[in-house]
């Protein structure tokens, strides 16, 4: 780098944890290819042995999918952990600065929740890496679920401590400015709690041990309710301020935060539903899943239309994405792309296919799958642009 030239990331903000989060989300999008396009009999997710067996069968198309998916998973998982470690190191230095003190006394204090959000995503990424690259992992997975629950609970404790400090301050001494809350920035804590909740729901959907599955059900329900309450409050407060003061151009990307939030809640609900069916005889049918996922997808599309309309009026892309100016908040736009791609896969496979509306691997199936992949590729392009601008 030439002398005297600096990058935007040298002026640190905890929102840079979203750079790690976004690449973790892209890791998940590649795992969707393996989960929905490759057979994994007797398991809810594909593992190393399933991929080796399919690759050895010799079908060119299957091999190409596996190679592309595994390569994508490895690349974006590397970036996810790289940016997570970079953020953790920079955050410790930044905590000693005056900027940290100013943030702790403002509306922006909830930006600190980007840390547990990114940590929870990285735990999910590590689990994906284990399933795809570690032979024999499924034989010991029942021992790993309690460890995963403990890890998510520790991250959850961190999140609630940060959230408690914020609410304790604003609800006792005040200082929260509704006038500058003209975005959905205050929904970030709900996003973090949802990510922790979906991680806790994994044992509910995958464990063969009723006690472990039941524990995952109960704990993930707690975080689900916390997510709904905090997210609902943030939605009302943000809409009210924006209608009075207009949207803030730098925080306008947060208008899309409910898109990934709904995808996470949708996956959490699917995992809980599977666990209830496996262990407690409360299974839901394909029609029920189709309706639930269609409702979530409909709400996501409405939020996408709202976000697009506001960003176009503000000229956001021309200024902060393709233009010379930079804003760390741009990384919030990665999450909705990831979320729509993942939700489309689930809506198609667990909704449309399971309900019998579309045949697996039919022409219509691949048309909808291609839409999900197109969204994924567009999001990958956005990440590339942002990383070049900021790092």
């Amino acid at each position: 780098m030439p002398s005297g030239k600096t990058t935007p990331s040298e002026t640190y903000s905890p929102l840079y944890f979203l750079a790690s989060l976004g690449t973790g989300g892209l890791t998940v999008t590649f795992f969707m290819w393996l989960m929905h396009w490759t057979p994994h009999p007797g398991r809810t997710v594909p593992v190393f042995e399933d991929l080796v067996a399919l690759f050895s069968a010799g079908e060119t198309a299957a091999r190409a999918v596996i190679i592309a998916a595994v390569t994508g998973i490895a690349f974006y998982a590397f970036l996810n952990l790289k940016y997570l470690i970079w953020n953790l190191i920079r955050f410790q230095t930044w905590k000693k600065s005056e900027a940290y003190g100013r943030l702790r006394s403002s509306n922006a204090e909830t930006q600190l929740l980007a840390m547990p959000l990114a940590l929870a995503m990285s735990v999910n990424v590590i689990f994906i890496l284990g399933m795809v690259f570690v032979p024999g992992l499924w034989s010991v997975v029942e021992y790993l679920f309690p460890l995963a629950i403990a890890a998510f609970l520790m991250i959850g404790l961190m999140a609630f401590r940060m959230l408690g400090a914020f609410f304790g301050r604003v609800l006792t001494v005040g200082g929260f400015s509704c006038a500058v809350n003209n975005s959905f920035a205050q929904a970030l804590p709900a996003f973090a709690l949802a990510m922790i909740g979906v991680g806790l729901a994994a044992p509910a959907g995958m464990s063969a041990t009723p006690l472990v599955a039941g524990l995952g059900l109960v704990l993930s329900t707690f975080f689900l309710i916390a997510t709904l309450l905090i997210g609902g409050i943030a939605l009302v407060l943000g809409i009210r301020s924006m209608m009075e003061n207009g949207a803030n151009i730098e925080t306008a990307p947060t208008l899309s935060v409910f898109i990934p939030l709904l995808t996470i809640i949708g996956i959490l609900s699917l995992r809980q539903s599977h666990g209830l069916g496996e262990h407690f005889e409360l299974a839901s049918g394909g029609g029920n899943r189709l309706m639930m996922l269609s409702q979530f997808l409909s709400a996501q599309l409405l939020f996408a239309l709202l976000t697009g309309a506001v960003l176009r009026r503000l000229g956001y892309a021309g200024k902060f994405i393709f233009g010379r100016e930079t804003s760390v908040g741009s990384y919030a736009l990665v999450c909705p792309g990831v979320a729509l791609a993942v939700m489309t896969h689930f809506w198609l496979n667990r909704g449309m296919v399971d309900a019998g509306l579309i045949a697996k691997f039919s022409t219509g199936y691949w048309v909808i799958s291609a839409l999900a992949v197109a969204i994924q590729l567009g999001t990958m392009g956005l990440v590339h642009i942002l990383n070049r601008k900021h790092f």
Side-chain angles (χ1 to χ4, degrees):
M1 182 178 296
S3 177
K5 185 178 179 180
T6 61
T7 58
S9 60
E10 292 181 24
T11 305
Y12 185 74
S13 164
L15 289 181
Y16 273 111
F17 276 104
L18 298 182
S20 173
L21 176 72
T23 51
L26 287 172
T27 305
V28 176
T29 61
F30 279 102
F31 185 70
M32 290 293 100
W33 296 13
L34 301 178
M35 183 170 179
H36 298 298
W37 298 347
T38 65
H40 38 90
R43 284 181 283 264
T44 55
V45 291
V47 296
F48 176 84
E49 287 75 13
D50 297 318
L51 303 180
V52 169
L54 183 61
F55 196 87
S56 301
E59 293 187 12
T60 303
R63 286 184 171 182
V65 167
I66 292 173
I67 291 173
V70 167
T71 302
I73 288 169
F75 177 71
Y76 283 105
F78 167 76
L79 290 182
N80 168 262
L81 297 175
K82 170 187 173 182
Y83 288 132
L84 177 68
I85 293 170
W86 178 87
N87 270 286
L88 292 173
I89 293 172
R90 291 297 300 270
F91 183 83
Q92 292 305 315
T93 302
W94 179 73
K95 280 183 67 175
K96 303 171 185 176
S97 69
E98 294 181 1
Y100 175 75
R102 290 194 299 269
L103 180 135
R104 289 293 303 271
S105 60
S106 70
N107 288 18
E109 184 177 4
T110 51
Q111 291 181 7
L112 298 176
L113 272 294
M115 178 191 286
L117 172 59
L119 286 170
M121 172 59 85
S122 291
V123 173
N124 289 317
V125 167
I126 291 170
F127 201 75
I128 288 174
L129 289 174
M131 288 187 291
V132 173
F133 293 106
V134 179
L137 182 73
W138 201 254
S139 64
V140 297
V141 73
E142 292 298 333
Y143 299 100
L144 299 179
F145 284 137
L147 296 178
I149 289 174
F152 282 115
L153 285 178
M154 289 178 62
I155 298 171
L157 179 61
M158 174 194 298
F160 274 112
R161 287 183 62 184
M162 292 176 174
L163 199 54
F166 171 73
F167 278 122
R169 174 176 63 82
V170 300
L171 295 180
T172 54
V173 301
F176 184 84
S177 173
C178 290
V180 298
N181 185 43
N182 48 345
S183 69
F184 289 155
Q186 296 305 318
L188 183 62
F191 193 3
L193 296 177
M195 188 66 73
I196 297 166
V198 77
L200 288 168
M206 291 187 279
S207 178
T209 306
L211 178 60
V212 174
L215 186 60
L217 280 167
V218 172
L219 293 173
S220 61
T221 298
F222 173 80
F223 280 89
L224 172 62
I225 297 302
T227 296
L228 295 175
L229 289 173
I230 294 172
I233 293 169
L235 177 63
V236 173
L237 289 176
I239 284 286
R240 180 201 175 281
S241 181
M242 281 187 286
M243 294 185 74
E244 181 178 353
N245 305 292
N248 181 314
I249 186 170
E250 287 212 45
T251 57
T254 63
L255 293 177
S256 66
V257 72
F258 285 96
I259 299 175
L261 192 59
L262 287 166
T263 290
I264 295 172
I265 293 174
I267 297 172
L268 188 157
S269 300
L270 287 174
R271 288 175 171 179
Q272 288 190 335
S273 176
H274 185 80
L276 289 170
E278 287 292 315
H279 299 290
F280 306 103
E281 300 180 355
L282 291 172
S284 64
N288 291 332
R289 289 193 294 274
L290 174 62
M291 287 303 300
M292 179 189 73
L293 293 172
S294 295
Q295 290 162 1
F296 284 144
L297 184 58
S298 297
Q300 288 177 308
L301 293 176
L302 290 171
F303 276 111
L305 291 172
L306 171 66
T307 304
V310 173
L311 292 183
R312 280 195 302 271
R313 291 290 293 269
L314 293 173
Y316 186 90
K319 189 172 185 179
F320 292 111
I321 296 178
F322 303 110
R324 292 174 176 264
E325 297 190 47
T326 59
S327 171
V328 63
S330 299
Y331 276 101
L333 293 174
V334 176
C335 301
V338 167
L340 285 173
V342 171
M343 178 58 84
T344 302
H345 280 296
F346 276 107
W347 176 73
L348 172 61
N349 289 275
R350 299 306 310 278
M352 299 287 281
V353 172
D354 286 0
L357 295 181
I358 288 182
K360 187 89 168 179
F361 302 144
S362 64
T363 302
Y365 179 92
W366 287 119
V367 168
I368 299 175
S369 296
L371 176 60
V373 173
I375 297 171
Q376 175 184 349
L377 293 176
T379 306
M380 290 164 59
L382 175 61
V383 167
H384 176 70
I385 291 171
L386 294 179
N387 286 350
R388 288 192 65 181
K389 286 173 70 75
H390 287 264
F391 292 95

